[in-house]
Amino acid sequence: QVQLVESGGGLVQAGGSLRLSCAASGRAFGGYAVAWFRQAPGKEREFVAVVGRSGSNTDYADSVKGRFTISRDNANQVVDLQMNSLKPEDTAIYYCAAGLQWRTTPVYDYWGQGTQVTVSS
């Protein structure tokens, strides 16, 4: 069992930066891939980024490549999402998710409650 809690969301102007954190509790966190997804009002949940168990492997949605960076610290059981050059279209609720398999679809075993990111133009 893994519990996930996101933090770091907020309101930022276009071009600004935010750093989201996903704090995990529970055993064997290092055995899970961890991903970030987002969901804007009226839209489906979409993949943002994923990091493998060791942190060496990552993947990003095309819409965030070069702007967002995902990283993990297994010792402290935290996965961060550094978001730079934010755009209004990045506005959404951001969720972290953990699962035994690396996926870019929202089929993960555990989910956090989400954190709101709002980017003003």
Side-chain angles (χ1 to χ4, degrees):
Q1 191 80 7
V2 176
Q3 294 80 41
L4 304 172
V5 178
E6 303 95 335
S7 62
L11 173 64
V12 64
Q13 288 188 332
S17 298
L18 281 175
R19 188 175 184 90
L20 305 183
S21 289
C22 174
S25 60
R27 297 188 296 177
F29 172 73
Y32 291 89
V34 178
W36 286 93
F37 288 81
R38 66 187 182 186
Q39 189 165 18
K43 295 188 177 181
E44 293 186 352
R45 192 166 296 191
E46 66 172 357
F47 168 74
V48 175
V50 61
V51 60
R53 299 171 185 178
S54 69
S56 299
N57 296 321
T58 59
D59 194 15
Y60 298 90
D62 289 342
S63 59
V64 306
K65 277 181 182 176
R67 301 189 298 122
F68 290 12
T69 303
I70 189 170
S71 61
R72 70 186 294 164
D73 178 351
N74 283 340
N76 292 305
Q77 300 199 154
V78 174
V79 173
D80 288 339
L81 184 69
Q82 177 66 42
M83 306 187 296
N84 298 328
S85 302
L86 283 161
K87 305 175 181 179
E89 51 264 43
D90 294 317
T91 296
I93 299 175
Y94 283 70
Y95 300 89
C96 69
L100 294 176
Q101 294 188 350
W102 169 294
R103 298 180 187 273
T104 59
T105 53
V107 184
Y108 276 77
D109 302 304
Y110 304 104
W111 290 85
Q113 83 289 348
T115 186
Q116 176 71 48
V117 171
T118 303
V119 184
S120 63
S121 56

Short mmCIF file of all heavy atoms in Angstrom, two decimals, residues 1 12 27 51 78 94 96:
data_model
loop_
_atom_site.label_atom_id
_atom_site.label_comp_id
_atom_site.label_asym_id
_atom_site.label_seq_id
_atom_site.Cartn_x
_atom_site.Cartn_y
_atom_site.Cartn_z
N GLN A 1 0.84 -1.19 0.00
CA GLN A 1 0.00 0.00 0.00
C GLN A 1 0.88 1.24 0.00
O GLN A 1 1.84 1.33 0.76
CB GLN A 1 -0.90 0.01 1.24
CG GLN A 1 -1.99 1.04 1.23
CD GLN A 1 -3.20 0.63 0.41
OE1 GLN A 1 -3.27 -0.49 -0.05
NE2 GLN A 1 -4.13 1.52 0.25
N VAL A 12 0.38 31.25 -10.78
CA VAL A 12 1.61 31.83 -11.29
C VAL A 12 1.32 32.48 -12.64
O VAL A 12 0.39 32.08 -13.35
CB VAL A 12 2.70 30.73 -11.43
CG1 VAL A 12 2.30 29.69 -12.45
CG2 VAL A 12 4.06 31.32 -11.75
N ARG A 27 5.38 1.08 2.25
CA ARG A 27 6.56 0.28 1.99
C ARG A 27 6.88 0.16 0.50
O ARG A 27 6.02 0.30 -0.33
CB ARG A 27 6.37 -1.11 2.58
CG ARG A 27 6.20 -1.11 4.09
CD ARG A 27 6.21 -2.52 4.64
NE ARG A 27 5.07 -3.29 4.15
CZ ARG A 27 4.88 -4.57 4.44
NH1 ARG A 27 5.77 -5.21 5.16
NH2 ARG A 27 3.82 -5.19 3.99
N VAL A 51 8.64 8.69 -14.17
CA VAL A 51 10.00 8.34 -13.80
C VAL A 51 10.03 6.89 -13.34
O VAL A 51 9.14 6.43 -12.64
CB VAL A 51 10.54 9.30 -12.71
CG1 VAL A 51 9.70 9.24 -11.45
CG2 VAL A 51 12.00 9.02 -12.40
N VAL A 78 10.14 10.90 -2.28
CA VAL A 78 9.55 12.09 -2.90
C VAL A 78 9.81 12.07 -4.41
O VAL A 78 10.91 11.72 -4.84
CB VAL A 78 10.14 13.39 -2.30
CG1 VAL A 78 9.63 14.60 -3.05
CG2 VAL A 78 9.79 13.49 -0.83
N TYR A 94 -3.14 18.72 -10.95
CA TYR A 94 -2.04 17.79 -11.19
C TYR A 94 -2.08 16.68 -10.14
O TYR A 94 -2.17 16.95 -8.94
CB TYR A 94 -0.70 18.52 -11.14
CG TYR A 94 -0.43 19.33 -12.39
CD1 TYR A 94 -1.17 20.47 -12.68
CD2 TYR A 94 0.55 18.93 -13.30
CE1 TYR A 94 -0.93 21.19 -13.85
CE2 TYR A 94 0.79 19.64 -14.46
CZ TYR A 94 0.04 20.77 -14.72
OH TYR A 94 0.27 21.50 -15.87
N CYS A 96 -0.26 12.93 -8.85
CA CYS A 96 0.80 11.94 -8.97
C CYS A 96 0.20 10.56 -8.78
O CYS A 96 -0.83 10.39 -8.11
CB CYS A 96 1.95 12.19 -8.01
SG CYS A 96 1.61 11.94 -6.28
#
